[in-house]
Amino acid sequence: NYALTQPHSVSGSPGQTVTISCTRSSGSIASNFVQWYQQRPGSSPRNLIYEDDQRPSGVPDRFSASIDGSSNSASLTISGLKTEDEADYYCQSYDSGSLWIFGGGTRLTVL
Amino acid sequence: EVQLVQSGAEVKKPGESLKISCQGSGYDFTNYWIAWVRLLPGEGLEWLGIIYPGDSDTKYSPSFRGQVTISADKSTSSAYLQWISLKASDTAVYYCARSLGGGYLDFWGQGTLVTVSS
């Protein structure tokens, strides 16, 4: 098993760009696809990114993601920050035997 | 329209049993996995397990194996999450969500709040 570690919180002002990291504790980040989910207060989670960097239809292109083997991490970048982006963000990947692992979540505050 | 509709909020006492449901509509229920994910108060998402209703193939998180039972009924397009003996630490919002091929979760239910308190 491994863990996915995210910063507890990040913040930014409207219009700014923020990046949320997700670091894999062991094994290569490239070994298994990484997904990102957004959960607004009182709502169900919503998929933002699948298979490392793919956006489902309906997700604005302000949301982008990548993986970095040198830091063994994935990153979610939100550009042109809006107040509606204030939410919790989770990365998710897989372990052997098709077991799913979620990161601890990052609270984004839009100042 | 794809929908996953979950059963309503539950309040239970420690030691009681419970089965919550998730009914899918608007798609072929037997061709997508259904995952169960929970959100603990003040904490993050946790994956409990996943089931393929087509053949009831089920995988559990090691943390929840033996603690919960996941099942599905193709005839009613429903998936279930069951406890035999609830604990206070089971208090959480439980979500079901759909996955194609065991990959990412593209549609989520509205969540079921389970409160376990004496």
Side-chain angles (χ1 to χ4, degrees):
Chain A
N1 277 10
Y2 65 88
L4 295 172
T5 301
Q6 300 180 233
H8 183 71
S9 63
V10 298
S11 63
S13 300
Q16 286 187 333
T17 297
V18 296
T19 297
I20 299 171
S21 63
C22 170
T23 302
R24 178 165 169 161
S25 63
S26 63
S28 171
I29 191 71
S31 296
N32 307 95
F33 283 131
V34 176
Q35 279 64 235
W36 290 91
Y37 299 89
Q38 175 195 61
Q39 186 169 30
R40 294 186 174 119
S43 295
S44 299
R46 165 199 182 196
N47 179 242
L48 290 178
I49 298 288
Y50 67 96
E51 294 180 359
D52 295 340
D53 58 5
Q54 302 298 302
R55 257 190 328 273
S57 61
V59 174
D61 59 7
R62 301 187 297 108
F63 295 90
S64 62
S66 63
I67 63 168
D68 180 356
S70 63
S71 60
N72 212 35
S73 65
S75 294
L76 174 71
T77 298
I78 309 171
S79 60
L81 209 55
K82 298 184 177 185
T83 55
E84 68 203 47
D85 299 331
E86 192 158 283
D88 294 324
Y89 292 83
Y90 297 89
C91 60
Q92 173 263 313
S93 190
Y94 310 99
D95 200 350
S96 58
S98 301
L99 304 180
W100 293 43
I101 295 175
F102 280 96
T106 299
R107 172 67 54 89
L108 169 62
T109 302
V110 181
L111 304 168
Chain B
E1 178 195 8
V2 174
Q3 283 193 310
L4 292 172
V5 178
Q6 298 185 229
S7 49
E10 301 275 0
V11 179
K12 292 288 189 179
K13 290 181 168 35
E16 292 187 331
S17 63
L18 176 64
K19 190 174 188 178
I20 62 175
S21 66
C22 167
Q23 186 170 42
S25 62
Y27 73 99
D28 185 349
F29 188 74
T30 60
N31 268 355
Y32 287 77
W33 293 78
I34 293 289
W36 286 96
V37 177
R38 77 175 184 180
L39 180 66
L40 285 168
E43 302 201 22
L45 298 174
E46 287 184 282
W47 177 75
L48 282 74
I50 195 167
I51 188 166
Y52 187 71
D55 61 7
S56 292
D57 183 17
T58 308
K59 305 178 196 299
Y60 291 93
S61 162
S63 301
F64 293 96
R65 182 181 295 276
Q67 308 303 309
V68 299
T69 300
I70 294 171
S71 60
D73 183 343
K74 289 188 289 188
S75 68
T76 59
S77 297
S78 296
Y80 302 95
L81 180 64
Q82 183 175 10
W83 295 259
I84 293 177
S85 180
L86 285 159
K87 302 186 277 285
S89 57
D90 293 319
T91 295
V93 177
Y94 291 84
Y95 296 98
C96 64
R98 186 185 82 161
S99 169
L100 179 64
Y104 70 100
L105 301 170
D106 63 351
F107 280 93
W108 293 68
Q110 82 276 21
T112 296
L113 174 61
V114 174
T115 303
V116 184
S117 174
S118 54

